[in-house]
Amino acid sequence: MTQSSDQIYSQPLEAITGFVFDQNVVRVFRDMISRSVPGYATLVSMLPVLVQEYVRDNSRCYDLGCSLGAATLVLRHSITQTNTGIVAVDNSPAMIAQCKQYIDQDKSRVPVELHCADICQLDISNASMVVMNFTLQFISPGKRLELLQKIYAGLNPGGVLVLSEKLLFAEPQQTRLTQLHHTFKKLNGYSELEISQKRSALENVLIADTLEQHQLRLQQAGFRNILPWFQCFNFSSLLAVK
Ligand code: GEK
């Protein structure tokens, strides 16, 4: 399937239903995420640095909520460690089907296991790196701590969780950063209608936390070494080392 430009919310909709990662989204996903998430390409392009620093021989890397495998493909081309493969997981069958095509077309020999599964039900073990880029925000808040505890337990000592999320801020920062995010989207060609309809669709689906909530939860899961390493407007990424 060829990727198209995102026009999902360009026409007025009578009723706006909750956002789902279905075939229509898969068809435009690359365009959607790069025009909607400020700093996305830069963040993904820094993963080789983190691979160099944290990934070990004879271990596993995980990409949780892998979508079309953007992080998986970068990891695949930066892993030089021996006997280390990638487990990429998403619970959207349409995402996994398209991701599989991209992985099959890719020439790297680093093994990739693709699973269509709920990351809350996944077994994680012998991990030196777990990437969770913009996925925890879609997990029901009541399940987030348990998931992080499972990730912590599955990481080897010295292993890293790369946790990227849309963040919530206190006022007046929240209003200011939301405005900057909207300007980013407008400059990327989204209309006011598209921005507002997408926002309604994501309400109660994407539930953002503050930086403090993330830090506290990571500490509760066992992580002692937490470092915010990237931020672009209200989108941020943390390193949590075991
Ligand atoms: C990227 N990381 O391109 N289990 C598995 N997958 C899930 C679950 C779940 N419980 N809930 C949601 N997802 C990617 C971008 S997108 C972020 C991640 C966004 C999946 C969902 O199907 C979707 O593919 C992904 O998490 C979130 O770097 O679109 O803003």
Side-chain angles (χ1 to χ4, degrees):
M1 187 208 313
T2 50
Q3 286 278 302
S4 315
S5 68
D6 173 22
Q7 297 179 353
I8 291 179
Y9 295 102
S10 62
Q11 299 306 316
L13 297 168
E14 272 182 27
I16 299 185
T17 51
F19 189 84
V20 283
F21 292 94
D22 60 11
Q23 192 66 46
N24 290 333
V25 168
V26 167
R27 203 171 286 126
V28 301
F29 188 73
R30 281 184 166 171
D31 181 61
M32 174 186 277
I33 199 156
S34 62
R35 286 163 72 208
S36 308
V37 176
Y40 174 77
T42 308
L43 191 160
V44 173
S45 76
M46 288 300 129
L47 289 172
V49 178
L50 305 178
V51 166
Q52 178 77 30
E53 199 66 18
Y54 294 103
V55 174
R56 296 287 174 263
D57 293 342
N58 307 310
S59 72
R60 293 193 185 98
C61 294
Y62 287 81
D63 182 7
L64 304 183
C66 61
S67 299
L68 299 182
T72 292
L73 288 166
V74 171
L75 294 185
R76 208 177 185 204
H77 284 268
S78 45
I79 291 173
T80 51
Q81 292 80 355
T82 54
N83 195 28
T84 293
I86 304 165
V87 181
V89 186
D90 202 288
N91 68 351
S92 157
M95 281 290 186
I96 286 291
Q98 182 62 53
C99 184
K100 184 175 180 328
Q101 286 195 21
Y102 290 142
I103 301 293
D104 289 348
Q105 285 160 13
D106 177 63
K107 300 274 183 272
S108 162
R109 288 176 182 272
V110 172
V112 177
E113 268 179 45
L114 268 185
H115 295 288
C116 187
D118 179 355
I119 56 174
C120 298
Q121 307 295 326
L122 187 74
D123 288 331
I124 299 177
S125 63
N126 188 25
S128 55
M129 176 179 275
V130 176
V131 177
M132 192 153 51
N133 278 349
F134 310 107
T135 302
L136 191 65
Q137 60 198 19
F138 292 104
I139 302 295
S140 118
K143 292 185 176 171
R144 293 180 187 182
L145 175 59
E146 202 181 321
L147 174 58
L148 292 182
Q149 286 168 329
K150 189 172 61 168
I151 292 169
Y152 183 82
L155 276 166
N156 296 330
V160 72
L161 165 64
V162 183
L163 176 62
S164 310
E165 290 276 287
K166 182 176 188 180
L167 290 184
L168 198 65
F169 289 79
E171 292 298 354
Q173 291 91 336
Q174 179 63 31
T175 301
R176 193 74 201 101
L177 290 166
T178 301
Q179 179 58 37
L180 288 165
H181 182 212
H182 283 189
T183 301
F184 170 84
K185 292 184 83 165
K186 273 190 249 167
L187 285 175
N188 283 332
Y190 284 119
S191 66
E192 293 286 354
L193 178 71
E194 285 176 294
I195 294 171
S196 94
Q197 292 195 133
K198 173 91 180 280
R199 188 179 198 174
S200 303
L202 282 173
E203 215 171 301
N204 303 321
V205 175
L206 188 171
I207 301 172
D209 290 320
T210 63
L211 177 62
E212 293 70 28
Q213 284 174 304
H214 281 293
Q215 286 173 322
L216 185 65
R217 194 190 292 119
L218 286 165
Q219 284 166 1
Q220 286 171 342
F223 292 98
R224 290 288 165 267
N225 189 346
I226 301 161
L227 179 66
W229 68 280
F230 182 85
Q231 186 177 335
C232 190
F233 305 135
N234 42 347
F235 291 78
S236 176
S237 187
L238 308 178
L239 299 180
V241 180
K242 178 162 174 177

